[in-house]
């Protein structure tokens, strides 16, 4: 099963982004049954999704898992839904090109929201069973992460691709918390364990669904 997994470069004044470090670590991982390809995305509206879609066109994945930083969250949070808006409220940081969209649609004429097609509940259950803090999130925000998730799901919808996709937010890393001790954080090895768990859960759930479909079509 082919997995395309993305992380982001640093943004918002931080020197690091744990999802970038996760992509570096995952590039050396071997998970039985999975072919892994990682990509590091810029924190720029639309350019991020354009790059990920271009990688999809070349790699032809079965699964796309986009990963991003949600500084301030205390758990790993698979996102349930992406909404068709890009909006930076007053006082929030711009993207890395200085863009500050307000109330703009991501894709005019496309649905107001698109749901993840990853098995998010099973992912959370398996991470929790492994002692990793995780919960389903019902908002991916209106920044780059939501922008990326929405564009990928809309591309899959429009092209009618047999690809499952979604987004997972990760907390700050312990390295980041050294500079800001009040920020909730998790060690990078724990986040890497979570990503391994997510990949295995997605493979297991996808294979189960395939077997069920075969039985129903007999």
């Amino acid at each position: 099963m082919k997995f395309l997994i993305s992380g982001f470069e640093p943004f918002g004044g931080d020197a690091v982004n744990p999802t970038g470090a996760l992509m570096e670590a995952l590039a050396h991982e071997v998970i039985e049954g999975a072919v892994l390809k990682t990509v590091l995305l810029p924190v720029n509206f639309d350019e991020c999704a354009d790059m990920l879609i271009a990688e999809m066109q070349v790699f032809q994945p079965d699964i796309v898992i986009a990963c991003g930083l949600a500084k301030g969250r205390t758990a790993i949070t698979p996102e349930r839904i992406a909404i068709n808006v890009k909006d930076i409220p007053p006082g929030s940081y711009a993207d890395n090109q200085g863009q500050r969209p307000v109330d703009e649609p991501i894709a005019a004429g496309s649905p107001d929201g698109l749901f993840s097609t990853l098995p998010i509940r099973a992912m959370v259950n398996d991470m929790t069973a492994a002692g990793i803090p995780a919960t389903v999130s019902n908002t991916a925000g209106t920044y780059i992460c939501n922008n990326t998730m929405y564009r990928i799901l809309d591309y899959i919808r429009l092209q009618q691709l047999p690809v499952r996709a979604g987004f997972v937010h990760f907390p700050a890393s312990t390295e980041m918390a050294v500079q800001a001790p009040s920020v909730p954080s998790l060690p990078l090895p724990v986040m890497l364990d979570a990503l391994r768990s997510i990949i295995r859960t997605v493979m297991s759930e996808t294979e189960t669904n395939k077997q069920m479909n075969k039985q129903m079509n007999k």
Side-chain angles (χ1 to χ4, degrees):
M1 193 172 296
K2 296 171 70 176
F3 284 78
L4 178 60
I5 305 176
S6 67
F8 282 108
E9 66 185 8
F11 67 100
D14 289 317
V16 298
N17 185 325
T19 64
L22 286 174
M23 294 309 103
E24 291 180 14
L26 200 63
H28 303 289
E29 288 286 312
V30 176
I31 298 177
E32 185 176 355
V35 178
L36 307 177
K37 180 175 177 58
T38 62
V39 57
L40 186 67
L41 302 178
V43 182
N44 301 327
F45 279 102
D46 297 319
E47 183 184 351
C48 53
D50 289 343
M51 182 179 294
L52 190 50
I53 289 170
E55 293 285 347
M56 290 175 65
Q57 292 169 341
V58 173
F59 186 59
Q60 299 289 304
D62 302 295
I63 309 292
V64 179
I65 303 173
C67 303
L69 168 64
K71 194 175 178 181
R73 291 190 184 179
T74 58
I76 292 160
T77 51
E79 298 295 341
R80 189 187 301 275
I81 190 171
I83 58 174
N84 190 5
V85 65
K86 43 187 172 181
D87 178 76
I88 295 182
S92 296
Y93 36 75
D95 75 3
N96 284 355
Q97 290 182 328
Q99 298 180 85
R100 292 181 174 274
V102 175
D103 298 336
E104 293 182 16
I106 294 172
S110 287
D112 293 335
L114 292 170
F115 287 96
S116 171
T117 53
L118 298 178
I120 58 173
R121 184 62 63 187
M123 287 157 50
V124 165
N125 289 344
D126 288 349
M127 283 188 280
T128 302
I132 300 169
T135 187
V136 171
S137 168
N138 292 310
T139 174
T142 55
Y143 192 56
I144 304 295
C145 296
N146 177 76
N147 185 214
T148 304
M149 180 180 177
Y150 187 90
R151 283 280 309 280
I152 296 310
L153 291 171
D154 199 37
Y155 173 74
I156 291 168
R157 178 186 69 88
L158 291 170
Q159 299 297 318
Q160 299 182 326
L161 299 175
V163 177
R164 302 182 80 173
F167 198 98
V168 180
H169 267 122
F170 289 81
S173 61
T174 304
E175 179 184 2
M176 298 174 73
V178 170
Q179 304 301 321
S182 63
V183 174
S185 65
L186 286 176
L188 196 65
V190 173
M191 291 195 270
L192 183 56
D193 282 343
L195 197 45
R196 293 184 187 113
S197 174
I198 288 168
I199 292 167
R200 293 189 178 104
T201 300
V202 172
M203 282 196 295
S204 175
E205 292 289 317
T206 301
E207 287 301 324
T208 298
N209 288 342
K210 284 181 180 179
Q211 293 301 319
M212 290 175 62
N213 289 335
K214 285 182 180 178
Q215 291 296 326
M216 291 174 62
N217 292 328
K218 281 187 177 179

